[in-house]
Amino acid sequence: MNRLFVYGSLRSETGTEPARYLARRAKRIGPAKVQGRLYSLGSYPAMALSTKPHEWVQGELYRLPNPKEILCALDQYEGCGKGEPAGEFERVAVTAVVGETRFSCWAYVCRFRPPEDTRISSGDYVKSQ
């Protein structure tokens, strides 16, 4: 799979080094959303998947010209790289929506359900800052 949905510190608006890395090596398709719930883990967010039609996480979708290389680097950043102990996140296949079009892609999802009082109800990490 050669697409990645990002919703937190990898979004272009954050200006973080990992976001700049992604922007230099991938093509931004545009704003996107994934069915899920967004939570604050302090200085970064976490997404949990949902099947409820009104629960969406806002982010961006990227096309990865060299998925193996880019995902390897981002897996390490997210703490789920090869040889890494099980961390907070895992990379899973999801469906992202851009306009009316659905795309299969990767996303980093939280391995546990954070407490409800940490939920970002807007589903948009950048706007919640």
Side-chain angles (χ1 to χ4, degrees):
M1 195 166 352
N2 69 343
R3 287 180 291 270
L4 176 68
F5 173 77
V6 298
Y7 56 87
S9 61
L10 293 174
R11 283 177 67 175
S12 61
E13 300 98 325
T14 65
T16 65
E17 179 52 39
R20 290 192 302 272
Y21 169 87
L22 182 60
R24 286 190 305 268
R25 288 170 175 77
K27 168 119 174 78
R28 185 176 179 272
I29 295 171
K33 62 184 181 178
V34 166
Q35 272 191 298
R37 300 178 85 156
L38 195 62
Y39 298 88
S40 174
L41 298 183
S43 59
Y44 55 92
M47 179 173 69
L49 298 179
S50 173
T51 57
K52 295 184 179 175
H54 64 281
E55 294 182 335
W56 292 93
V57 173
Q58 304 299 317
E60 300 171 319
L61 187 63
Y62 282 87
R63 185 173 50 249
L64 310 176
N66 187 346
K68 187 174 181 179
E69 174 190 321
I70 295 168
L71 291 171
C72 181
L74 295 178
D75 284 353
Q76 289 180 349
Y77 169 71
E78 295 287 355
C80 61
K82 192 172 186 179
E84 298 270 341
E88 294 176 314
F89 296 94
E90 63 182 325
R91 179 166 39 96
V92 300
V94 299
T95 300
V97 179
V98 176
E100 297 297 318
T101 307
R102 296 181 172 277
F103 294 91
S104 295
C105 60
W106 294 112
Y108 292 98
V109 175
C110 194
R111 291 183 184 269
F112 61 92
R113 180 66 68 131
E116 275 307 303
D117 65 350
T118 66
R119 185 166 178 215
I120 300 171
S121 59
S122 69
D124 192 325
Y125 173 70
V126 170
K127 288 184 180 175
S128 74
Q129 297 300 294

Coordinates of all heavy atoms in Angstrom, one line a residue, residues 26-71:
A26 N 7.1 12.6 0.2 CA 5.8 12.1 -0.2 C 5.0 13.2 -0.9 O 5.3 14.4 -0.7 CB 5.0 11.5 1.0
K27 N 3.9 12.8 -1.6 CA 3.0 13.8 -2.2 C 1.8 13.9 -1.4 O 1.1 12.9 -1.2 CB 2.7 13.3 -3.6 CG 1.6 14.1 -4.3 CD 2.1 14.7 -5.6 CE 1.0 15.4 -6.3 NZ 0.5 16.6 -5.8
R28 N 1.5 15.1 -1.0 CA 0.2 15.4 -0.2 C -1.0 15.3 -1.2 O -1.0 16.1 -2.2 CB 0.3 16.7 0.5 CG -0.9 17.0 1.3 CD -0.7 18.3 2.1 NE -1.8 18.7 2.9 CZ -2.9 19.3 2.5 NH1 -3.0 19.8 1.3 NH2 -3.8 19.6 3.4
I29 N -1.9 14.4 -0.9 CA -3.1 14.3 -1.8 C -4.1 15.4 -1.3 O -4.7 16.0 -2.2 CB -3.7 12.9 -1.7 CG1 -2.7 11.9 -2.2 CG2 -5.1 12.8 -2.3 CD1 -3.1 10.4 -2.0
G30 N -4.2 15.6 0.0 CA -5.1 16.6 0.4 C -5.7 16.3 1.8 O -5.4 15.3 2.4
P31 N -6.6 17.2 2.2 CA -7.3 16.9 3.5 C -8.1 15.7 3.4 O -8.7 15.4 2.3 CB -8.3 18.2 3.6 CG -7.7 19.2 2.8 CD -7.0 18.5 1.6
A32 N -8.2 14.9 4.5 CA -8.9 13.6 4.5 C -9.5 13.4 5.9 O -9.1 14.1 6.8 CB -7.9 12.5 4.1
K33 N -10.3 12.4 5.9 CA -10.8 12.0 7.2 C -11.0 10.4 7.3 O -11.1 9.8 6.2 CB -12.2 12.6 7.5 CG -13.3 12.3 6.5 CD -14.6 13.0 6.7 CE -15.6 12.7 5.7 NZ -16.9 13.4 6.0
V34 N -10.9 9.9 8.5 CA -11.1 8.5 8.8 C -12.1 8.3 9.9 O -12.1 9.1 10.8 CB -9.7 7.9 9.2 CG1 -9.8 6.5 9.8 CG2 -8.7 7.8 8.0
Q35 N -12.9 7.3 9.8 CA -13.9 7.1 10.9 C -13.1 6.7 12.1 O -12.3 5.7 12.2 CB -14.8 5.9 10.5 CG -16.0 6.4 9.8 CD -17.1 5.4 9.7 OE1 -16.9 4.4 9.1 NE2 -18.2 5.6 10.3
G36 N -13.3 7.5 13.2 CA -12.5 7.2 14.4 C -12.8 8.3 15.5 O -13.6 9.2 15.3
R37 N -12.1 8.1 16.6 CA -12.2 9.0 17.7 C -10.8 9.5 18.0 O -9.8 8.7 17.9 CB -12.8 8.4 18.9 CG -14.2 7.9 18.6 CD -14.7 7.2 19.8 NE -15.3 8.2 20.7 CZ -16.2 8.0 21.6 NH1 -16.7 6.8 21.8 NH2 -16.7 9.0 22.3
L38 N -10.6 10.8 18.3 CA -9.3 11.3 18.6 C -9.2 11.7 20.1 O -10.1 12.2 20.7 CB -9.1 12.6 17.7 CG -7.7 13.1 17.6 CD1 -6.8 12.1 16.9 CD2 -7.7 14.4 16.8
Y39 N -8.0 11.4 20.6 CA -7.7 11.6 22.0 C -6.4 12.4 22.2 O -5.5 12.2 21.4 CB -7.6 10.3 22.8 CG -8.9 9.5 22.7 CD1 -9.1 8.6 21.7 CD2 -9.8 9.6 23.7 CE1 -10.3 7.9 21.6 CE2 -11.0 8.9 23.7 CZ -11.2 8.0 22.6 OH -12.4 7.3 22.6
S40 N -6.3 13.1 23.3 CA -5.1 13.8 23.6 C -4.3 13.0 24.6 O -4.8 12.6 25.6 CB -5.3 15.2 24.2 OG -4.1 15.7 24.7
L41 N -3.0 12.7 24.2 CA -2.1 12.0 25.1 C -1.1 12.9 25.7 O 0.0 12.6 26.0 CB -1.5 10.8 24.4 CG -2.4 9.7 23.9 CD1 -1.5 8.6 23.3 CD2 -3.3 9.1 25.0
G42 N -1.5 14.2 25.9 CA -0.6 15.2 26.4 C -0.1 16.0 25.2 O -0.8 16.9 24.7
S43 N 1.1 15.8 24.8 CA 1.7 16.6 23.7 C 1.5 16.0 22.3 O 2.0 16.6 21.3 CB 3.2 16.7 24.0 OG 3.8 15.5 24.0
Y44 N 0.7 15.0 22.2 CA 0.4 14.4 20.9 C -1.0 13.7 21.0 O -1.4 13.3 22.1 CB 1.5 13.5 20.4 CG 1.8 12.4 21.3 CD1 1.2 11.2 21.3 CD2 2.8 12.6 22.3 CE1 1.5 10.1 22.2 CE2 3.1 11.6 23.2 CZ 2.5 10.4 23.1 OH 2.8 9.4 24.0
P45 N -1.6 13.5 19.8 CA -2.9 12.8 19.8 C -2.8 11.3 19.5 O -1.7 10.8 19.1 CB -3.7 13.5 18.7 CG -2.6 13.7 17.7 CD -1.3 14.1 18.5
A46 N -3.9 10.6 19.7 CA -4.0 9.2 19.4 C -5.4 9.0 18.8 O -6.4 9.5 19.2 CB -3.8 8.3 20.6
M47 N -5.4 8.1 17.8 CA -6.7 7.8 17.1 C -7.1 6.4 17.5 O -6.2 5.5 17.5 CB -6.5 7.9 15.6 CG -7.8 7.5 14.8 SD -7.7 7.9 13.0 CE -6.6 6.6 12.5
A48 N -8.4 6.2 17.7 CA -9.0 4.9 17.9 C -10.0 4.8 16.8 O -10.8 5.7 16.6 CB -9.6 4.7 19.3
L49 N -10.1 3.7 16.1 CA -11.0 3.5 15.0 C -12.4 3.3 15.6 O -12.6 2.9 16.7 CB -10.6 2.3 14.2 CG -9.3 2.4 13.5 CD1 -9.0 1.1 12.7 CD2 -9.2 3.6 12.6
S50 N -13.4 3.7 14.7 CA -14.8 3.7 15.1 C -15.6 3.2 13.9 O -15.2 3.4 12.8 CB -15.3 5.1 15.6 OG -16.7 5.1 15.8
T51 N -16.8 2.7 14.1 CA -17.7 2.4 13.0 C -18.9 3.3 13.1 O -19.8 3.2 12.3 CB -18.2 0.9 13.1 OG1 -18.8 0.7 14.4 CG2 -17.0 0.0 12.9
K52 N -19.0 4.2 14.0 CA -20.1 5.1 14.1 C -20.0 6.2 13.0 O -19.0 6.8 12.8 CB -20.1 5.8 15.5 CG -20.4 4.8 16.6 CD -20.5 5.4 17.9 CE -20.8 4.3 19.0 NZ -20.8 4.9 20.3
P53 N -21.1 6.4 12.3 CA -21.1 7.3 11.1 C -20.8 8.7 11.4 O -20.4 9.5 10.5 CB -22.4 7.1 10.5 CG -23.3 6.5 11.6 CD -22.4 5.8 12.5
H54 N -21.0 9.2 12.6 CA -20.7 10.6 12.9 C -19.4 10.8 13.6 O -19.1 12.0 14.0 CB -21.9 11.1 13.8 CG -21.9 10.4 15.2 ND1 -22.4 9.2 15.3 CD2 -21.4 10.8 16.4 CE1 -22.3 8.8 16.6 NE2 -21.7 9.8 17.3
E55 N -18.5 9.8 13.7 CA -17.2 10.0 14.4 C -16.1 9.9 13.3 O -15.9 8.9 12.7 CB -17.0 8.9 15.4 CG -18.0 9.0 16.6 CD -17.8 7.9 17.7 OE1 -17.2 6.9 17.4 OE2 -18.2 8.2 18.8
W56 N -15.5 11.1 13.2 CA -14.4 11.2 12.2 C -13.2 11.9 12.8 O -13.3 12.8 13.6 CB -14.9 12.1 11.0 CG -16.0 11.4 10.2 CD1 -17.3 11.5 10.4 CD2 -15.8 10.5 9.2 NE1 -18.0 10.7 9.5 CE2 -17.1 10.1 8.7 CE3 -14.7 9.9 8.5 CZ2 -17.3 9.2 7.7 CZ3 -14.9 9.0 7.5 CH2 -16.2 8.7 7.1
V57 N -12.0 11.5 12.3 CA -10.8 12.1 12.6 C -10.3 12.8 11.4 O -10.3 12.3 10.3 CB -9.7 11.1 13.1 CG1 -8.3 11.7 13.3 CG2 -10.2 10.4 14.4
Q58 N -10.0 14.1 11.5 CA -9.5 14.9 10.4 C -8.0 14.9 10.3 O -7.3 14.8 11.3 CB -9.9 16.4 10.6 CG -11.4 16.6 10.9 CD -12.3 16.2 9.7 OE1 -11.9 16.4 8.5 NE2 -13.3 15.5 10.0
G59 N -7.5 14.9 9.0 CA -6.1 14.8 8.8 C -5.7 15.1 7.4 O -6.5 15.8 6.7
E60 N -4.7 14.4 6.9 CA -4.2 14.6 5.5 C -3.8 13.2 5.0 O -3.4 12.3 5.7 CB -2.9 15.4 5.5 CG -3.1 16.8 6.0 CD -1.8 17.5 6.2 OE1 -0.8 16.9 6.6 OE2 -1.7 18.7 5.8
L61 N -4.0 13.1 3.7 CA -3.6 11.8 3.0 C -2.4 12.1 2.1 O -2.3 13.1 1.4 CB -4.7 11.3 2.2 CG -4.5 9.9 1.6 CD1 -4.4 8.9 2.7 CD2 -5.7 9.6 0.7
Y62 N -1.4 11.2 2.2 CA -0.2 11.3 1.4 C 0.0 10.1 0.5 O -0.4 9.0 1.0 CB 1.1 11.4 2.3 CG 1.3 12.8 2.9 CD1 0.7 13.1 4.1 CD2 2.1 13.7 2.3 CE1 0.9 14.4 4.7 CE2 2.3 14.9 2.8 CZ 1.7 15.3 4.0 OH 1.9 16.5 4.6
R63 N 0.6 10.3 -0.6 CA 1.0 9.2 -1.5 C 2.5 9.0 -1.3 O 3.2 10.0 -1.3 CB 0.7 9.4 -3.0 CG 1.0 8.2 -3.8 CD 0.5 8.3 -5.3 NE 1.0 9.6 -5.9 CZ 0.1 10.6 -6.3 NH1 -1.2 10.5 -6.1 NH2 0.6 11.6 -6.9
L64 N 2.9 7.8 -1.0 CA 4.3 7.5 -0.7 C 5.0 6.9 -2.0 O 4.7 5.7 -2.4 CB 4.4 6.5 0.4 CG 3.5 6.8 1.7 CD1 3.6 5.7 2.7 CD2 3.9 8.2 2.3
P65 N 5.9 7.6 -2.6 CA 6.6 7.1 -3.8 C 7.5 5.9 -3.4 O 7.8 5.0 -4.2 CB 7.4 8.2 -4.3 CG 7.6 9.1 -3.1 CD 6.4 8.9 -2.3
N66 N 8.0 5.9 -2.2 CA 8.9 4.8 -1.7 C 8.4 4.3 -0.4 O 8.9 4.6 0.7 CB 10.3 5.2 -1.6 CG 11.3 4.1 -1.3 OD1 10.9 3.0 -0.9 ND2 12.6 4.4 -1.5
P67 N 7.3 3.6 -0.3 CA 6.6 3.3 0.9 C 7.5 2.5 1.9 O 7.4 2.8 3.1 CB 5.4 2.4 0.5 CG 5.4 2.3 -0.9 CD 6.5 3.0 -1.5
K68 N 8.3 1.6 1.5 CA 9.1 0.8 2.4 C 10.0 1.7 3.2 O 10.1 1.6 4.4 CB 9.9 -0.3 1.6 CG 10.6 -1.2 2.5 CD 11.3 -2.3 1.7 CE 12.0 -3.3 2.7 NZ 12.6 -4.4 2.0
E69 N 10.7 2.6 2.5 CA 11.7 3.5 3.2 C 11.0 4.5 4.1 O 11.4 4.6 5.3 CB 12.5 4.2 2.1 CG 13.4 5.3 2.7 CD 14.0 6.2 1.6 OE1 14.4 5.7 0.5 OE2 14.1 7.4 1.9
I70 N 10.0 5.1 3.6 CA 9.3 6.1 4.4 C 8.6 5.5 5.6 O 8.7 6.0 6.7 CB 8.3 6.9 3.5 CG1 9.0 7.7 2.4 CG2 7.4 7.8 4.3 CD1 8.1 8.2 1.3
L71 N 7.9 4.4 5.4 CA 7.2 3.8 6.5 C 8.1 3.2 7.6 O 7.8 3.3 8.8 CB 6.2 2.7 6.0 CG 5.0 3.2 5.2 CD1 4.3 2.0 4.6 CD2 4.1 4.0 6.1

